[in-house]
Amino acid sequence: MALANSRVLYISYNGMLDPLGQSQVIPYLKELSKRGVRFTLLSYERAPAFTSEGEQRCRVLRKELSQFNIEWHHLRYHQRPSLPATAYDVVAGIRFASRLMKREKVELVHARAHIPAVIALALKRKFGIKMIFDVRGLMAEEYVDAGHWRANGVASRLTKRTESRVLRATDGVVTLTDVLWSEMRTWPDLQARPVVHETIPCCIDQNQFHFETEARKARRSELGVGDGLVLVYSGSVGGWYMTDEMAALFAALKRQRADAFFLWLTTGSAQTVENAMRKSGIEPTDYAVRNVQPYEVPSFLSASDVGIAFYRPGISRLGTSPVKVSEYLSCGLPVIINGGIGDTDRVIAQEEVGALVREFNDDEYANAAATIFRLIDDPEQTRSCAREVAERLFDLRGPGIERYARLYEALLN
């Protein structure tokens, strides 16, 4: 194997006990380990990982990962005060990773997102190894668009300056979207030398997310929706997720389909959802908010007819690859999403698996509703088409692993 016995240090600021680590890090490492890559994984875990229950979960996960030749280490994640806490985590990460570097014959550091990239840059300068900057989005722009940072504030300027230094040094770049890479490749920091690049969208395990007839019957009975149209949203609410606008679109659907029902799957604030639905005149009997475990999500998606995701527009959305859209399509759902979200415009339009909303107004909502009604008139055909698109574009074991393997081979060989 071309990657046999290659040693890679993988650094993630997301915890492996968190849903994101479980779905967007561990499956990739397991699959790449089957191709011969030997991973040392360093993650930052939140407070629950350091309770007695969390420590037990860590022991179980560490044993599971060791069976794939993945050696897992974790540090504590510090959240507040923001900048000092992050600086502390970076320094701690450099010190800990340096010890790993001296002990292991690491050939490559794979940094998942901006904070790990700062650590990887220090390791590259100290040990002369290669590094990958896995860009999970434009960090500064995302925080500005969400209203957390000021556009010219200290945090934003410091992040962009650090990002520039990383891009000038990195050997490989991963972006989630082609449209972001088209923008980034024109930046001065990437002009002076060749950089190996791959676009790898958020992929998922197609064996976990798929339509189930029996689950549909059971969940719809549990929700009491009969044969009604079920719109579903899965994910966080508030911030850069446009809860009010999604409620307004549902109101437009409801005016045309009296049996429409909105299912919210979120660990976020139920009050945020209730306030949004109240603003749009939606009765409590016409929606439900469920805080469900990750393994339960596919069954609730199977019970639904269409998925929705609205993001606050902004430059940061160029780099967005919504994992929820991959999950919707894998479970056979057409998707309603606003324009300007990474490569999703192209996918929805070219593959005809949903509706795009360009402006947040009643006319656009009505057009989206008409498109969706047409698609769900033939549910079997729509499910089949959506699933085929998901398998072709967002299968973890397909484009996800193949592109990461190609990137590793280019840098290690």
Side-chain angles (χ1 to χ4, degrees):
M1 283 184 163
L3 296 176
N5 295 318
S6 300
R7 295 305 301 258
V8 176
L9 172 61
Y10 190 105
I11 307 175
S12 171
Y13 206 43
N14 297 109
M16 295 304 103
L17 297 189
D18 297 339
L20 196 60
Q22 292 281 316
S23 67
Q24 292 298 305
V25 176
I26 290 174
Y28 287 97
L29 301 194
K30 285 181 176 179
E31 290 297 322
L32 287 167
S33 74
K34 294 176 184 177
R35 302 191 178 208
V37 181
R38 297 182 64 189
F39 282 104
T40 301
L41 169 62
L42 175 59
S43 68
Y44 286 78
E45 302 298 321
R46 295 178 182 270
F50 299 91
T51 63
S52 57
E53 180 184 349
E55 289 173 354
Q56 174 60 23
R57 289 184 63 195
C58 287
R59 284 192 290 270
V60 171
L61 179 57
R62 184 171 287 107
K63 183 177 180 181
E64 176 188 333
L65 292 174
S66 69
Q67 295 172 358
F68 290 85
N69 239 346
I70 301 169
E71 182 182 304
W72 178 40
H73 303 271
H74 63 274
L75 299 174
R76 184 184 287 270
Y77 169 81
H78 297 88
Q79 187 171 11
R80 292 187 176 87
S82 181
L83 283 178
T86 302
Y88 178 89
D89 285 347
V90 167
V91 172
I94 292 171
R95 289 175 176 170
F96 191 89
S98 294
R99 292 198 293 271
L100 294 175
M101 294 293 298
K102 292 174 182 177
R103 195 184 73 195
E104 310 287 350
K105 295 181 179 179
V106 173
E107 304 167 67
L108 173 71
V109 178
H110 186 150
R112 188 181 194 277
H114 283 65
I115 304 304
V118 179
I119 300 171
L121 179 60
L123 298 176
K124 179 180 175 65
R125 289 173 173 170
K126 185 174 182 179
F127 296 99
I129 59 170
K130 293 183 178 180
M131 68 172 285
I132 292 172
F133 181 20
D134 200 330
V135 184
R136 310 310 295 179
L138 297 174
M139 182 177 176
E141 289 82 353
E142 284 185 357
Y143 277 83
V144 170
D145 288 346
H148 300 316
W149 290 353
R150 291 184 293 109
N152 293 311
V154 173
S156 177
R157 287 186 285 109
L158 181 60
T159 300
K160 292 304 292 182
R161 194 176 304 132
T162 303
E163 178 185 80
S164 179
R165 287 199 295 267
V166 170
L167 289 174
R168 286 199 299 269
T170 192
D171 302 282
V173 174
V174 174
T175 58
L176 295 174
T177 67
D178 287 328
V179 68
L180 176 58
W181 181 241
S182 295
E183 172 71 20
M184 286 181 63
R185 67 193 305 178
T186 66
W187 294 359
D189 299 316
L190 290 169
Q191 292 298 296
R193 61 196 174 81
V195 174
V196 182
H197 167 262
E198 290 287 348
T199 294
I200 307 175
C202 286
C203 297
I204 61 170
D205 186 346
Q206 300 292 321
N207 295 329
Q208 179 182 356
F209 284 87
H210 55 86
F211 177 77
E212 298 179 62
T213 302
E214 291 307 312
R216 179 179 176 84
K217 293 177 182 176
R219 292 300 188 190
R220 289 178 76 91
S221 175
E222 174 186 329
L223 293 166
V225 296
D227 295 324
L229 183 155
V230 176
L231 176 70
V232 66
Y233 173 77
S234 175
S236 301
V237 294
W240 48 64
Y241 303 101
M242 304 182 72
T243 313
D244 288 354
E245 287 76 7
M246 288 189 279
L249 182 135
F250 174 72
L253 279 180
K254 188 75 175 170
R255 286 193 287 272
Q256 299 186 53
R257 284 282 299 264
D259 63 352
F261 185 88
F262 200 157
L263 173 59
W264 298 82
L265 305 177
T266 182
T267 58
S269 166
Q271 190 62 54
T272 299
V273 174
E274 291 163 8
N275 292 343
M277 299 301 270
R278 191 180 304 112
K279 287 179 188 175
S280 291
I282 307 301
E283 296 294 329
T285 52
D286 292 327
Y287 70 93
V289 184
R290 293 284 188 274
N291 181 342
V292 301
Q293 295 299 312
Y295 70 87
E296 297 177 291
V297 172
S299 64
F300 281 102
L301 296 186
S302 294
S304 305
D305 300 294
V306 55
I308 188 171
F310 281 174
Y311 293 79
R312 198 167 303 284
I315 186 68
S316 64
R317 299 278 69 84
L318 291 177
T320 298
S321 173
V323 68
K324 58 176 62 67
V325 170
S326 306
E327 293 171 354
Y328 294 160
L329 293 172
S330 296
C331 290
L333 301 181
V335 179
I336 303 174
I337 194 167
N338 56 306
I341 310 303
D343 296 333
T344 311
D345 290 36
R346 186 185 70 222
V347 172
I348 297 300
Q350 290 184 359
E351 305 292 347
E352 298 183 348
V353 286
L356 284 174
V357 171
R358 300 291 184 184
E359 302 287 341
F360 299 103
N361 58 50
D362 285 344
D363 288 341
E364 283 288 289
Y365 298 157
N367 290 336
T371 300
I372 291 302
F373 292 152
R374 186 168 65 251
L375 288 171
I376 63 176
D377 274 347
D378 190 349
E380 294 300 324
Q381 173 63 24
T382 296
R383 285 193 196 110
S384 175
C385 182
R387 176 69 183 187
E388 187 277 328
V389 170
E391 291 177 343
R392 176 160 40 89
L393 300 181
F394 305 116
D395 184 6
L396 183 145
R397 296 180 180 85
I401 294 302
E402 293 302 326
R403 293 177 191 178
Y404 271 122
R406 189 163 64 198
L407 179 66
Y408 279 23
E409 288 174 358
L411 292 175
L412 293 171
N413 298 313

